Amino acid sequence: MTDAHLAIIVLAAGQGTRMKSSLPKLLHPLAGQPIVSHVLATARALDAAHVITVVRHERDRLAALVAEDLPESIIVDQDEIPGTGRAVEQAVDALPTDFDGDVLIINGDVPLLDAATLATFIDAHRASAAAGTVLSAHPDDSTGYGRIVRSAAGDFDRIVEQKDADDTERAITEINAGVYLFGLAALRAQLAELTTENVQGEKYLTDVIGLLRRAGAEVTAVPVADAWLVAGINDRAQLSEAALTLNQRIVRGWQLSGVTIQDPATTWIDLKATLAPDVTILPGTQIQGATVVETGAIIGPDTTLRDCEVGENAVVKRTDATLAVIAAGASVGPFSYLRPGTLLGADGKIGAFVETKNATIGAGSKVPHLSYVGDAVVGEGSNIGAGTIFANYDGVAKHHSNIGSHVRTGSHNVFVAPITIGDGAYTGAGTVVRKNVPAGALAINVAPQRNMDCWVHANRPGTAADAAAADSLSTAESTSTTESTSTTESPSTTESPSTTESGE
Ligand code: UD1
Ligand code: CA
């Protein structure tokens, strides 16, 4: 139910200079989505009466993301006055005038914080008489964070930023997590008092705490149970640490829900992926995006799936796949590359060193070895011979190939698209299929083979090949004087297509 007395401000206007990146800090991915998307999702889950997101650096990209992830949010553009205090000041001005309640402020770069922790934090504030409450933590390393300075009696007095702190203050291990709750009136009054008189020349939101205390108001710090929840991301080292922590929790969560994950250290699962019970994930595997894996499937080792669907009992090993659908019982890999638009039917197979793109391969059909299948439909129960290329590109445009059901194509074929091969047709080994093949026909267009007898002796005399051939020919002559060893250009009347159907 919407909390009518709660407004949330998400701070997302900072530049993120410490990332040293052309990509805005808050758009760097973490478990498959931008850092700030985690924060927006948490804000959304709290169901506040109003949400305001403050943007400035790369504002259009941030605003577009907010519009997608948290469409109910008002977007406020921070002006040229820097600092979290200025961001909140402008956000508060954008609140509807009839709102009167609590304002929750969260940093856009604290992505691991969950809605349940924040709900407890809000309850703690409301149960107290404090004008403001700050979420605090005791991380292993407090470097970079604002420190919570307490009086001799232990009362929360103010927050000092790392850059403004003296040695004694820097030794403080209790830090400001970047999450605050204020009564609107108290917040508004103190924001007006902020100055930029500090090392960074910014209006610090954190100064509101000290100002409230000077004004005689009560301020409390509520410690978070686990410091990892409030890890702020300022640089790429912190990004990888947060990613590792989050991944450990995601992996453990799936293990507890019935997924076998052999090696958590080398398994990376994005937040939006879904795994059914009795899925097995082998080492070196990344399950990315909104990938869904059904029960009994075995993924890995060394496999990356991005936004894929994998059906029940399918097996996918040493494979890189994006936007592919692998139906139940199908088998993929090892060393397969499935590009967007690959649809492999039930019990089908995409085997070793096969690349597919925009390809529908029907139920029970197999592309077992060393092939490229692009812009194609293959029917059911067909077998594509080893080393086959679907030549889909004429240098200007892409063309489509249509292979029927129960087709057997020979090894080392080229299908020059646009092309259609009818149901039950065969093609011979080495065929370059340029014309449509009717159902049930055998297509073969390889030039008849010519053997030029004694070519080696005439052209490469004295070589090992010449000696070996001489030995072989003399043995053949002594065992058979009647049969000719020459088979030069004798066309066969019963051509064999020599397909390489996989026995598996
Ligand atoms: C801030 C806190 C610090 C706290 C830490 C927790 C202040 C002054 N300091 O420091 O006490 O320990 O977070 O992670 O608040 N932002 C704006 N507008 C700005 C500047 C920043 O919206 O003008 C946003 C940023 O996009 C970011 C958040 O505010 O999401 C925090 O800014 P950042 O510069 O990372 O602050 P810290 O130095 O980490
Ligand atoms: Ca920060």
Side-chain angles (χ1 to χ4, degrees):
M1 211 183 65
T2 301
D3 185 340
H5 299 287
L6 184 68
I8 301 177
I9 298 172
V10 179
L11 302 183
Q15 202 174 342
T17 42
R18 287 164 279 185
M19 288 300 263
K20 300 192 167 69
S21 176
S22 59
L23 182 69
K25 173 175 88 171
L26 296 180
L27 298 187
H28 274 255
L30 175 71
Q33 54 201 66
I35 289 170
V36 75
S37 291
H38 294 262
V39 178
L40 297 172
T42 302
R44 180 161 227 201
L46 290 171
D47 201 5
H50 308 287
V51 187
I52 294 173
T53 308
V54 188
V55 297
R56 175 173 167 86
H57 179 70
E58 297 271 1
R59 70 88 56 202
D60 288 348
R61 294 172 77 176
L62 265 298
L65 189 66
V66 172
E68 201 179 307
D69 286 358
L70 191 61
E72 59 267 43
S73 175
I74 298 168
I75 293 173
V76 165
D77 286 284
Q78 187 173 347
D79 60 19
E80 65 291 339
I81 302 171
T84 46
R86 179 59 183 167
V88 171
E89 197 174 9
Q90 288 188 267
V92 163
D93 283 346
L95 276 172
T97 45
D98 61 349
F99 175 75
D100 184 23
D102 300 317
V103 181
L104 174 71
I105 301 162
I106 45 184
N107 280 359
D109 64 351
V110 183
L112 304 186
L113 200 54
D114 60 306
T117 303
L118 284 176
T120 309
F121 173 71
I122 294 166
D123 289 346
H125 171 84
R126 287 178 172 169
S128 75
T133 304
V134 173
L135 192 65
S136 72
H138 290 274
D140 293 339
D141 182 6
S142 51
T143 312
Y145 291 98
R147 310 298 207 284
I148 292 185
V149 182
R150 292 179 179 275
S151 70
D155 295 332
F156 183 3
D157 183 54
R158 65 195 168 89
I159 295 171
V160 61
E161 291 303 300
Q162 164 95 18
K163 286 189 177 145
D164 300 284
D166 60 29
D167 287 347
T168 330
E169 289 163 341
R170 283 188 188 183
I172 297 171
T173 57
E174 188 181 11
I175 62 102
N176 163 31
V179 176
Y180 322 77
L181 199 62
F182 296 105
L184 177 60
L187 175 63
R188 203 175 244 147
Q190 302 314 327
L191 284 170
E193 306 297 314
L194 292 180
T195 69
T196 55
E197 284 152 27
N198 51 56
V199 170
Q200 301 188 81
E202 295 180 358
K203 280 193 175 184
Y204 290 163
L205 173 61
T206 46
D207 285 348
V208 165
I209 306 295
L211 290 166
L212 275 174
R213 291 294 290 132
R214 301 303 154 260
E218 192 188 323
V219 181
T220 54
V222 174
V224 72
D226 295 305
W228 64 266
L229 281 169
V230 297
I233 297 179
N234 298 315
D235 58 38
R236 297 186 204 227
Q238 288 170 326
L239 175 60
S240 76
E241 282 161 22
L244 183 62
T245 306
L246 182 53
N247 188 61
Q248 284 166 345
R249 310 198 77 84
I250 293 171
V251 165
R252 194 175 159 73
W254 287 120
Q255 287 176 318
L256 297 182
S257 71
V259 176
T260 293
I261 297 174
Q262 245 183 32
D263 184 15
T266 63
T267 301
W268 291 81
I269 303 173
D270 280 354
L271 208 54
K272 286 195 175 145
T274 312
L275 309 176
D278 285 325
V279 162
T280 298
I281 309 284
L282 299 175
T285 292
Q286 290 151 291
I287 310 287
Q288 300 182 339
T291 294
V292 176
V293 184
E294 302 294 352
T295 189
I298 302 173
I299 313 295
D302 302 326
T303 291
T304 302
L305 305 179
R306 292 174 207 87
D307 298 306
C308 291
E309 288 171 38
V310 180
E312 286 184 17
N313 302 316
V315 176
V316 184
K317 64 176 79 154
R318 294 188 206 282
T319 288
D320 185 295
T322 302
L323 286 165
V325 177
I326 298 160
S331 141
V332 178
F335 311 109
S336 306
Y337 181 32
L338 277 54
R339 293 165 52 203
T342 297
L343 303 173
L344 178 60
D347 303 315
K349 177 179 176 119
I350 293 174
F353 303 103
V354 172
E355 175 179 343
T356 59
K357 184 216 71 172
N358 188 23
T360 300
I361 297 164
S365 284
K366 296 176 179 178
V367 188
H369 333 272
L370 302 154
S371 295
Y372 172 63
V373 185
D375 300 311
V377 171
V378 177
E380 296 185 0
S382 290
N383 189 88
I384 305 300
T388 292
I389 303 299
F390 285 61
N392 56 335
Y393 187 47
D394 63 11
V396 178
K398 298 278 170 66
H399 300 283
H400 202 267
S401 299
N402 218 320
I403 314 296
S405 292
H406 300 285
V407 167
R408 296 281 175 274
T409 69
S411 293
H412 201 229
N413 277 198
V414 178
F415 301 141
V416 182
I419 200 85
T420 297
I421 298 181
D423 291 338
Y426 275 56
T427 65
T431 303
V432 177
V433 182
R434 297 178 188 277
K435 293 193 297 188
N436 292 347
V437 181
L442 166 67
I444 195 153
N445 65 4
V446 181
Q449 179 171 322
R450 290 172 61 208
N451 292 342
M452 300 165 72
D453 281 350
C454 300
W455 183 94
V456 171
H457 185 62
N459 293 281
R460 302 287 186 270
T463 61
D466 185 27
D471 279 356
S472 177
L473 290 169
S474 68
T475 314
E477 245 159 52
S478 64
T479 54
S480 154
T481 48
T482 50
E483 273 182 49
S484 163
T485 55
S486 169
T487 55
T488 308
E489 298 185 8
S490 60
S492 162
T493 48
T494 55
E495 300 244 30
S496 159
S498 169
T499 61
T500 57
E501 183 171 356
S502 168
E504 297 155 56

